[in-house]
Each structure stands twice: as C-alpha cells, then as structure tokens.
Amino acid sequence: MISWRKHYKQTLIAIGLLLSTSASIYGQDGDPKNGEKLFKANCTACHALDKQVIGPPLKGVVERVKTEGGVDKDWLHKWIKDNKALRASGDKYANEIFEKFNKTEMLQFPNLTDKDIDDILAFTTNPPAPEPEPTATTAPAGEATAAPADKTTTSIVIISLIAIAGLLVWILIKLRQLVKLGQSEELVGLNETRVRSFSEIYEKYHYIGKGLLTILAILAAYGVWNWIMWIGVYKGYKPEQPIYFSHKIHAGENKIDCQLCHSSAKYGKVSEIPSMNVCMNCHRTISEYNGKYIEPGKDKAFYDGEIQKIYAATGWNAEKQQYTGKTQPVEWTRIHNMPDFVYFNHSQHVVAGEQAIINSFNKKNPNNKIDVVCKACHGKIDTMNVVQMANDFTMGWCIECHRTTEVDMNNGYNKEYFKNLHEKLKKQYPKDGGKITVDAIGGLECGKCHY
Ligand code: HEC
Ligand code: HEC
Ligand code: HEC
Ligand code: HEC
Ligand code: HEC
Ligand code: HEC
C-alpha cells in the first residue's frame, strides 16, 4: 500500500520529464532546421531518413553507427567530409559499409564545416516538426506560400498535451485519495457506500469522460492525417545532372515543345526522360552553343563542353560524321518519384484533364497564367536551368487539386465514359450550381491512387 505513495511521486516526476524532454531534445548541439536545409541540398539524392535510397536511411544514424560499428561522431565527421580518405586510411567500419553497398561511392563534402555536419546530424537525430501543411496552391516554383496551419497545429498539440497531463494528475490525486481511504480503519464500513458513490460518480460524470476520450481520439486521428499528408515532401529538390541540360534554353529560349522530348506523357503512365537518340535528332547538327542567353556564371565554352558529352554518350564522331559504336549510358537522376504504392497516370491528366486543369489553374492564378498543362504541376519548367520540384507532390497536394478542379464533362473521354453518371452527379452535387469537381468522379477514393 505504501508503495502507491512512492509511485505517485515518481509518476508525477516522469510526466514532468516527459513534457520537458520534448523541448530539451532540440537544445542539443546542432541546429536541426539548418541541418534539414543542408540535408536536402546535399544528401537527398542518395539518402532518405526512413528508407534506403542509394545509401542507407539516415534517421538516428549517430546511434546506429555507434552500435553497428562502434564509432562516434568524430568518425561521422571524417566520413561525411571525405569517405574516400577515411577508407584509404584503412578504417575498418568505413570499408565494411563500402563493401556492403557494393562499393557504391558516396560523394565527398570537404566544404561542409564541422558545424554544418553537427547540424545535419542533429536533423537526422531529431527531424524538426513537420513543415507547414501545403496549401496546395499549384503555384509555379518560387512562389511557395507559407500556410498558417503550422501554428494552429502546434498549439493544438500543446493544449492537448496539457490536457492529458491535467487528466493524469487528476486521476493520480483520485487514486491517492482512494488509497488513503483503503488504509483507514473504517474501510469495511465504508466499502458499501464507496461502491455506491462510485457508480453515482460514474452516472454523473461519464459523459465528460467519454467527451474527453472522443476529443483525444479526434486529435489522434488529426495527427495521423497530418502525418500522411506531410510525408515525403521534397519541394525544391534539384539534383545535379550528368549533362547540364537547360530547360530554359530548350523549352524557353528555343520554344521546343515539352512533348517532343517527353512524348510518352500523352500515352502512358510515365513520362520518361528522352533517350540520347532524341537529343541527336537536333544535336547531330547543333554541335556548339551560339545562343544569346548565357546563364550568369556560365559561358559558351561550358555549353559547348556539355554538348560534347552527348557525342561521347552516343559514340558520335563529329568530324567523320559517323557513330563509332562506343556508347556510354547517361544516368539522369530521377527527380519526381512516387512510391510504388501510388498510381499516377500522366495521360489521365495531360489528355483527359488537360483543359480542366489549365482553366482551373488560370482561374486561381489570374496574374500567372499557364499555356501548357504540364506547368500546373511542374511549375514554369521553361524558365528553369535546372529542373526543380515545384510542388510538394504529396497526397495532400493531389487531393487538394481534385477537390477544387472542375471536371470538363464535355471532353470526348468524359462525355463517353460518364454519359449516365453525369446527370446523376449534377443532382447529387448541387454545390456551385452543379459544378462537378474531380472528387465527385472518384478522385478521393483510396483505391484510385493506391494499388
Ligand atoms: C552519391 C550518393 C551519396 C550522397 C550524395 C551522399 N551519400 Fe552518404 N552514403 C552513400 C552510400 C552509397 C553509402 C553507403 C556506404 C558506401 O557505399 O560507401 C553512404 C553512407 C553514409 C553514411 C554511413 C551510414 C552508415 O549506416 O554507416 C553516412 C553517415 C552518410 N552516408 C551521410 C551522408 C550525408 C550527411 C550526406 C550529405 C551531406 C551524404 N551522405 C550524401 C551515398 C551518398
Ligand atoms: C529537348 C528535350 C526536352 C524538352 C523540350 C523538355 N524536356 Fe524535360 N527533360 C529533358 C531531360 C533530358 C530531362 C532530364 C534532365 C533534367 O532533369 O534536367 C528532363 C527532365 C524533366 C523533368 C524532371 C523529370 C524527373 O526526373 O522527375 C520534368 C518534370 C520535365 N523535364 C518537364 C518538362 C516540361 C514541362 C517541358 C516543357 C515546358 C519539358 N520538360 C521540355 C528533356 C526535355
Ligand atoms: C528539338 C531540337 C533539340 C533537341 C531534341 C535537343 N536539343 Fe539541345 N539544344 C537545342 C538548341 C536549339 C540549343 C541551343 C543552341 C544555340 O542556341 O546555339 C541546344 C543547346 C543544348 C546544350 C547547351 C545549352 C544547355 O542546355 O546547357 C546542351 C548541353 C544540350 N542542348 C543538350 C541536349 C540534350 C542532352 C538533349 C537530349 C535530352 C538535347 N539537347 C535535345 C536543340 C535541341
Ligand atoms: C497533374 C499533375 C501533373 C501534370 C499535369 C504533369 N505531370 Fe509530370 N509528373 C507528375 C507526377 C505526380 C510525377 C511523378 C510520377 C511518378 O513518380 O510516378 C511526374 C513525373 C514526370 C516526369 C518524370 C518521369 C516520370 O514519368 O515519372 C516527367 C519527365 C514529367 N512528369 C513530365 C511532364 C510533362 C512533359 C507534362 C506535360 C505534358 C507533365 N509532366 C504533366 C505530375 C504531373
Ligand atoms: C492540377 C490538378 C491535379 C493534380 C495536382 C492531380 N490531379 Fe489527378 N486529376 C485531375 C483532374 C482534372 C482529373 C480528372 C481528369 C478527367 O477529366 O478524367 C484527375 C483524375 C485523376 C484520377 C482518376 C480519377 C477517376 O475517378 O477516374 C486519378 C487516379 C488521379 N487523378 C490521381 C492523381 C494523383 C495520384 C495525383 C498526385 C500525385 C494527382 N492526381 C494530382 C487533376 C489533378
Ligand atoms: C489523389 C490521389 C490519392 C488518394 C485519393 C489517396 N492517396 Fe494516399 N497517397 C497519395 C500519394 C501521392 C502518396 C505519396 C505521398 C508522398 O510520397 O509524399 C500517398 C501516401 C499515402 C500513405 C503513406 C504511406 C507511407 O507510409 O509512405 C498512406 C498511409 C495513404 N496514402 C493512405 C491513403 C488512404 C487511406 C486514402 C483514402 C482515404 C488515400 N491514401 C487516398 C495519393 C492519394
């Protein structure tokens, strides 16, 4: 019986600790926010937090290398700055993981300072709270809108934590009273009344209890939903490519149609990167750069060198004007990449949805209209020297557009496909005077986007 009293104090202390650690973790060495930026800029080409990409997942890597390799932060600094040198020095663990990953070379980062690396490691140890919920404006790159949702989410979390803590303290106080009661002499005599009064209390207060439980359940569901909507946001991701191919020069300056190179967007699920043969259609004759536009920091010699890479890759001998047969594959780094369990179909959006998406985008962005459907999702690619993810490409982003984009019921495909459904839907969705958005034709059904 006495141990209850002990537990009571310990539990209170534990709650206090629990509440305070969430704040204090962030105080440890390194700034995870800055680390996140550095991580996105330097590491996401090969690493994610939770899954293996080219290298291992990096969440909690400080702890992991300690247990798996018996090495410390110092080792991580050396590895990240120059893993090659570390391997060459004969370091056992460094060589072990290199072998384990089939001798795939990680890049060297001599430019990262010790503080940078501490920041990155702080980020991998404690990824900071989610970025603000995307407001799913399908805005082109550079026009990210900060959502106000962030602050409300934080305060909801804090308030619910306080509420839970309050509830726990209340329960403990009640328990303590019960225990005291249990210790008293008159226990036997009181037993009956206590049972009765307990059911009276239950009668009186069970609505409040249930109400509290419901609120907690709603908060938990809200948290899970936010988490689903947030995961895997890579907006702004722009890796370096093996050939410095500029969309600004091709699609912008020279007005080459997107679909000349990404022709499969129209027909299929994917919209592949063009093969080198497509490049050669033009570059057999365009062997040097004579354009007026030069990106700051670059020059003609640089562009000429990049065009030469096309010849090296296809084995084209420009002097003899013939192929030598010696080819080298060019490995473009994939920028947009949905997880396997997501079904996304370009043709559904580029063909069936084309007009609907363009109209809806232009209505939402009257000062920033688009002419080509691709830009609604990929941003103004024709102004980018290096392709950058212009939107979040999260589930929340897909769904927001489906909620707000009115389907073009008059296009050939939908007219045929939804003949009977159309009239029914018009009655069923009288909002906005019978407008039918993508959600009405099933655009929010889990099974439409998930295998
Ligand atoms: C070009 C791809 C590439 C890039 C970019 C890259 N890494 Fe790696 N990384 C790897 C590979 C591959 C491994 C596995 C070991 C090997 O094969 O050398 C690895 C291993 C690691 C390890 C050891 C993990 C373990 O489990 O032992 C750490 C730590 C690490 N990387 C951190 C980073 C950080 C931090 C960055 C960004 C500053 C970064 N990496 C950028 C490819 C990369
Ligand atoms: C002359 C050929 C060519 C034209 C025209 C072209 N692209 Fe590309 N596109 C490429 C190549 C090559 C890559 C891979 C290298 C890179 O990412 O820059 C690419 C990459 C992309 C990517 C990123 C793919 C990934 O890895 O996820 C997108 C999105 C894209 N293009 C959209 C467009 C849009 C939109 C247009 C029209 C405004 C367009 N492209 C016009 C050749 C072209
Ligand atoms: C439809 C014709 C066409 C196709 C197809 C084409 N290019 Fe080009 N490319 C051009 C033109 C035009 C220029 C600019 C030449 C000038 O202004 O002198 C150019 C310039 C370049 C340059 C120098 C400027 C820059 O973007 O860095 C590179 C590199 C290049 N192209 C790579 C490629 C690659 C790689 C492919 C295939 C994925 C490709 N091109 C496909 C027409 C094309
Ligand atoms: C409704 C939004 C949307 C529109 C419109 C759109 N895309 Fe995409 N695009 C995506 C998504 C989402 C992905 C990632 C697909 C994946 O990983 O499976 C993607 C990926 C790509 C890729 C990378 C290769 C691939 O297929 O995964 C290229 C290239 C591309 N898009 C080009 C285009 C071009 C060119 C157009 C216009 C003709 C276009 N996209 C229109 C959403 C869109
Ligand atoms: C810019 C707006 C926009 C975005 C972003 C968008 N979609 Fe769509 N989506 C549409 C439109 C419009 C249609 C209806 C096309 C039609 O008329 O059939 C559609 C239709 C669909 C359908 C078919 C629905 C049905 O019931 O037949 C699927 C599946 C789909 N989209 C998946 C996705 C996925 C997955 C993403 C995110 C990766 C996404 N969409 C992002 C506009 C969008
Ligand atoms: C319009 C398309 C679309 C619809 C409808 C949709 N999802 Fe998703 N969902 C996605 C995309 C795209 C992703 C991947 C997001 C990313 O990688 O950032 C995703 C990711 C997820 C994930 C995260 C998986 C993980 O761990 O990485 C879960 C869980 C999920 N969806 C469940 C659902 C459920 C449940 C529904 C039905 C209520 C649903 N989705 C409806 C497009 C959709």
Side-chain angles (χ1 to χ4, degrees):
M1 276 298 178
I2 295 168
S3 68
W4 261 113
R5 203 169 285 191
K6 235 160 82 195
H7 281 303
Y8 164 71
K9 279 200 185 128
Q10 281 168 348
T11 320
L12 271 186
I13 292 169
I15 293 172
L17 275 179
L18 239 156
L19 286 175
S20 62
T21 39
S22 52
S24 69
I25 297 170
Y26 287 87
Q28 275 174 11
D29 46 2
D31 167 11
K33 275 261 184 266
N34 185 45
E36 179 174 16
K37 261 191 234 134
L38 291 166
F39 182 81
K40 282 195 176 147
N42 297 301
C43 320
T44 39
C46 303
H47 291 286
L49 283 179
D50 291 314
K51 58 175 189 233
Q52 179 167 327
V53 187
I54 292 168
L58 289 186
K59 191 168 179 187
V61 68
V62 179
E63 276 304 311
R64 191 157 47 75
V65 297
K66 207 180 276 167
T67 44
E68 284 175 16
V71 294
D72 55 9
K73 259 193 170 169
D74 217 37
W75 182 91
L76 281 166
H77 278 252
K78 285 190 198 137
W79 169 271
I80 293 167
K81 275 195 183 146
D82 191 346
N83 71 86
K84 222 171 174 171
L86 186 60
R87 274 190 277 118
S89 79
D91 184 271
K92 185 162 161 281
Y93 181 59
N95 284 294
E96 240 171 60
I97 52 172
F98 183 61
E99 291 292 332
K100 191 168 140 201
F101 280 82
N102 299 322
K103 305 194 171 163
T104 313
E105 292 225 7
M106 170 161 144
L107 292 182
Q108 281 114 274
F109 297 94
N111 297 332
L112 291 179
T113 63
D114 284 328
K115 162 140 193 339
D116 289 342
I117 293 177
D118 279 334
D119 290 351
I120 294 174
L121 294 176
F123 167 67
T124 59
T125 310
N126 304 298
E131 284 294 306
E133 169 95 4
T135 38
T137 37
T138 37
E143 281 188 78
T145 38
D150 194 27
K151 272 197 191 136
T152 18
T153 314
T154 323
S155 40
I156 287 176
V157 170
I158 291 173
I159 290 170
S160 51
L161 271 178
I162 293 173
I164 293 170
L167 196 68
L168 283 173
V169 170
W170 183 77
I171 290 172
L172 281 166
I173 291 173
K174 284 289 156 199
L175 268 177
R176 195 170 176 229
Q177 285 171 353
L178 273 180
V179 169
K180 262 194 178 159
L181 205 61
Q183 286 167 328
S184 80
E185 319 277 63
E186 303 116 88
L187 176 68
V188 190
L190 272 175
N191 227 353
E192 223 170 73
T193 37
R194 212 180 73 208
V195 171
R196 186 143 35 84
S197 66
F198 181 76
S199 47
E200 268 167 16
I201 290 175
Y202 181 78
E203 272 305 312
K204 241 181 177 168
Y205 295 114
H206 75 289
Y207 286 115
I208 299 178
K210 282 182 186 162
L212 275 173
L213 275 180
T214 315
I215 290 171
L216 284 178
I218 290 170
L219 281 171
Y222 178 77
V224 169
W225 181 248
N226 262 349
W227 171 75
I228 289 178
M229 290 306 214
W230 169 72
I231 41 152
V233 177
Y234 290 105
K235 185 169 177 172
Y237 176 49
K238 53 180 225 190
E240 234 172 74
Q241 297 288 9
I243 298 179
Y244 194 83
F245 173 88
S246 161
H247 276 79
K248 182 174 167 64
I249 289 174
H250 288 86
E253 297 288 309
N254 288 291
K255 310 241 171 315
I256 302 171
D257 185 39
C258 314
Q259 301 208 18
L260 184 93
C261 291
H262 303 292
S263 55
S264 43
K266 244 200 166 87
Y267 311 110
K269 192 170 125 29
V270 293
S271 163
E272 288 154 356
I273 307 301
S275 77
M276 282 291 127
N277 297 330
V278 175
C279 314
M280 284 302 283
N281 289 341
C282 297
H283 283 285
R284 197 185 293 229
T285 49
I286 304 173
S287 62
E288 54 182 315
Y289 186 73
N290 291 309
K292 270 201 290 282
Y293 170 81
I294 304 258
E295 187 188 350
K298 305 268 186 285
D299 56 15
K300 174 175 155 47
F302 170 80
Y303 289 132
D304 291 350
E306 295 301 303
I307 293 173
Q308 285 304 316
K309 288 187 187 168
I310 305 175
Y311 300 159
T314 51
W316 175 250
N317 184 325
E319 252 159 47
K320 293 200 187 132
Q321 291 282 302
Q322 65 188 27
Y323 287 105
T324 61
K326 264 194 264 163
T327 60
Q328 286 165 15
V330 171
E331 286 172 15
W332 303 105
T333 300
R334 183 89 184 251
I335 302 164
H336 302 77
N337 207 351
M338 287 285 154
D340 289 341
F341 55 81
V342 174
Y343 175 80
F344 176 82
N345 188 321
H346 264 98
S347 93
Q348 195 142 40
H349 293 88
V350 171
V351 181
E354 181 176 24
Q355 218 42 56
I357 290 175
I358 292 180
N359 292 345
S360 154
F361 186 93
N362 288 345
K363 215 189 271 172
K364 287 180 214 159
N365 303 279
N367 299 321
N368 204 356
K369 293 191 176 177
I370 52 167
D371 44 358
V372 179
V373 63
C374 322
K375 294 180 186 170
C377 297
H378 293 297
K380 302 215 158 154
I381 295 254
D382 55 348
T383 64
M384 298 179 200
N385 282 304
V386 179
V387 176
Q388 183 174 1
M389 275 180 83
N391 277 297
D392 292 322
F393 290 82
T394 53
M395 181 164 135
W397 172 74
C398 311
I399 285 182
E400 180 63 25
C401 186
H402 285 184
R403 279 220 180 95
T404 54
T405 304
E406 202 183 326
V407 182
D408 178 9
M409 277 296 175
N410 292 320
N411 76 22
Y413 173 79
N414 286 338
K415 224 175 182 169
E416 188 55 33
Y417 195 69
F418 293 117
K419 224 185 238 162
N420 300 325
L421 197 62
H422 191 185
E423 286 309 311
K424 215 172 108 198
L425 283 170
K426 263 193 171 163
K427 288 194 202 109
Q428 204 176 338
Y429 290 85
K431 62 169 180 180
D432 303 328
K435 280 183 190 167
I436 294 164
T437 43
V438 185
D439 50 350
I441 60 164
L444 300 191
E445 285 166 22
C446 315
K448 286 274 169 69
C449 302
H450 292 297
Y451 291 109

